[in-house]
Amino acid sequence: MAKAFEQPIYVTRPLLPDITGVTERMKKVWDSKQLTNFGAQHDELSQHLKEYLETDHISMFSNGTMALLLGLKALKLTGEVITTPFTFPATVQALDWNNLTPVFCDIDPVTFNIDADKIEALITEKTTAILGVHVFGNPCDVEKIQAIADKHGLKVIYDGAHAFGSKINGVPVSSFGDMTMFSFHATKLFNTIEGGALAYSDPELDRQLDLLRNFGIANAEEVVLSGLNAKMNEVQAGVGIEVLKVIGEERRKRHAIKKTYEENLADIDGIRVLTTLEDESSSYQYFVIEINEEEFGQSRDTVHQELQKYNVFARKYFYPLCSDFEWYSELPSAQGENLPHAKQAVQQVLAMPYYGDLPIESVKAICGIIRELHVNQKSLSQL
């Protein structure tokens, strides 16, 4: 009989580097008397990230939402953008703030990414871009999406909030499309407390993004466009430099946790692991399962609630669908009959506790709770 954990186990925990290194770096910030406006820490982290992500051009921001919002602005998009309803609200909110209309495309039932086979039918004369999301770090069908974009003259932007450092067939994820956004929120594998970045290949975007994230200020005497304040500050950047040093060890720990989950859930009917990628192909951001109520015997919501009784706090991620938001509900593309796979996925997905300091024995115990829920339901059905 499973027992409740004494202390809560949450879906994630921020990766924190040794405080000594952070303290030493903060002393440099204090000595410089520069807390923001592209100081030494900002520039150092930018260079490290170019090397880590294998990209020639990167622009850092105060958070991932601002990065995506201003990235879309820099591309001068208008009209409609085809995207997925199965994503974090910020993805489509960035479209809102650019006066762009989302056109929701259903998802692939295996990867839960935007279904590339359904994109072309949604293109109209108003379409200017495709905004894909590498859901849970699983890559979109980048080749097919790019072929569609090239055929119709569209831009391609990827929300890579879950895909930091991962590769697609050995190629860095940031190499695809016109632009990829990364989130450095505290919940992400790599974090700067809050923060984000854009990776892109067009050098002409450097100047545009520099202006957009700094009020449109060109120099001490000129403001040349309407921008925002979206700069990453020195404290964020300094923490990020130290976090980047421990990413390798964290990935190794998460790999072991992932294997433990997989081994202990493998023979449970109705459980499918969505995050199966490993090594350089994986971001090790989340460990996510899909619960088939008919096969497992209980719904995802029931499992979610029961785990809480044991002090385990998994997450219904993503929930609710963006297409269900009130301000989108009247859009033709948001109607349920157009999004059957997304409607199903949002009722079945559960992100499990997943972070490097999570003890292996705790992982086994969590799997044991899920096994008991399945066995108990199965036993009841046989009475």
Side-chain angles (χ1 to χ4, degrees):
M1 185 73 176
K3 296 182 180 179
F5 290 91
E6 292 185 6
Q7 298 296 323
I9 295 182
Y10 296 107
V11 67
T12 191
R13 182 182 290 177
L15 176 58
L16 298 175
D18 188 275
I19 190 65
T20 302
V22 175
T23 301
E24 292 175 355
R25 195 160 288 277
M26 288 305 104
K27 186 177 186 304
K28 293 181 180 179
V29 174
W30 259 242
D31 290 343
S32 74
K33 303 297 189 291
Q34 182 173 3
L35 296 180
T36 188
N37 289 350
F38 314 117
Q41 304 302 315
H42 174 280
D43 291 350
E44 182 178 344
L45 177 59
S46 180
Q47 185 57 42
H48 288 322
L49 289 177
K50 285 181 181 179
E51 296 169 2
Y52 191 91
L53 297 173
E54 299 180 51
T55 183
D56 292 331
H57 300 276
I58 196 164
S59 184
M60 302 194 304
F61 296 82
S62 54
N63 58 64
T65 303
M66 294 302 292
L68 183 57
L69 190 156
L70 293 178
L72 295 169
K73 181 75 170 178
L75 293 175
K76 298 179 172 61
L77 303 180
T78 60
E80 298 176 347
V81 175
I82 297 172
T83 191
T84 172
F86 190 68
T87 184
F88 191 70
T91 307
V92 290
Q93 287 167 344
L95 295 175
D96 276 349
W97 282 85
N98 278 284
N99 293 316
L100 297 167
T101 301
V103 175
F104 294 111
C105 179
D106 202 12
I107 63 174
D108 181 285
V110 176
T111 66
F112 287 11
N113 289 324
I114 189 170
D115 189 338
D117 290 331
K118 295 182 179 179
I119 291 174
E120 198 159 16
L122 299 172
I123 296 174
T124 71
E125 68 279 0
K126 296 180 180 179
T127 308
T128 55
I130 301 166
L131 173 54
V133 179
H134 300 306
V135 174
F136 308 135
N138 291 330
C140 293
D141 190 338
V142 292
E143 292 185 1
K144 186 170 290 186
I145 290 173
Q146 192 61 55
I148 294 170
D150 291 343
K151 178 180 177 182
H152 295 275
L154 307 177
K155 297 291 187 182
V156 177
I157 306 96
Y158 287 109
D159 181 333
H162 294 178
F164 180 81
S166 63
K167 296 184 177 182
I168 303 174
N169 298 321
V171 180
V173 70
S174 57
S175 301
F176 300 94
D178 294 278
M179 182 178 287
T180 299
M181 182 277 291
F182 295 102
S183 170
F184 304 154
H185 185 265
T187 57
K188 300 300 186 287
L189 175 73
F190 171 72
N191 80 86
T192 58
I193 305 174
E194 286 273 9
L198 295 171
Y200 47 93
S201 57
D202 184 357
E204 293 186 6
L205 289 173
D206 286 337
R207 178 61 170 164
Q208 187 76 0
L209 290 168
D210 282 348
L211 291 168
L212 285 169
R213 63 182 172 169
N214 190 34
F215 308 99
I217 296 174
N219 53 57
E221 298 182 357
E222 288 184 290
V223 178
V224 298
L225 56 76
S226 180
L228 295 172
N229 181 14
K231 304 180 296 292
M232 178 181 288
N233 64 53
E234 289 293 272
V235 174
Q236 289 175 297
V239 170
I241 293 169
E242 296 302 312
V243 172
L244 199 59
K245 294 178 181 179
V246 296
I247 287 288
E249 179 61 24
E250 178 71 8
R251 285 173 59 86
R252 286 188 285 273
K253 289 180 179 179
R254 292 192 184 198
H255 178 80
I257 292 169
K258 173 181 178 293
K259 301 305 289 186
T260 303
Y261 267 124
E262 291 175 339
E263 291 167 3
N264 285 270
L265 296 174
D267 62 341
I268 302 179
D269 294 336
I271 300 290
R272 179 172 78 95
V273 176
L274 294 173
T275 44
T276 60
L277 297 176
E278 297 184 349
D279 302 324
E280 68 173 14
S281 297
S282 177
S283 65
Y284 291 101
Q285 174 60 52
Y286 293 108
F287 184 86
V288 184
I289 61 174
E290 178 188 22
I291 300 174
N292 184 310
E293 182 176 359
E294 184 176 342
E295 297 177 6
F296 182 76
Q298 301 204 47
S299 70
R300 184 280 311 275
D301 286 354
T302 298
V303 175
H304 179 254
Q305 293 167 4
E306 290 297 315
L307 285 172
Q308 291 183 21
K309 296 178 182 178
Y310 291 90
N311 232 358
V312 176
F313 296 89
R315 185 178 179 188
K316 299 187 289 184
Y317 199 50
F318 304 98
Y319 182 89
L321 284 180
C322 292
S323 53
D324 287 340
F325 297 167
E326 181 181 349
W327 51 98
Y328 295 134
S329 60
E330 299 303 318
L331 291 175
S333 66
Q335 303 313 301
E337 60 268 23
N338 297 321
L339 305 169
H341 295 307
K343 286 287 187 181
Q344 178 174 306
V346 79
Q347 299 296 330
Q348 296 184 335
V349 166
L350 196 63
M352 302 302 295
Y354 191 54
Y355 48 89
D357 287 338
L358 180 62
I360 293 295
E361 289 306 312
S362 296
V363 177
K364 292 178 180 179
I366 292 169
C367 294
I369 296 169
I370 293 175
R371 184 177 298 277
E372 282 191 9
L373 291 173
H374 173 59
V375 171
N376 289 344
Q377 180 65 24
K378 192 171 183 179
S379 299
L380 287 172
S381 66
Q382 293 174 345
L383 293 178

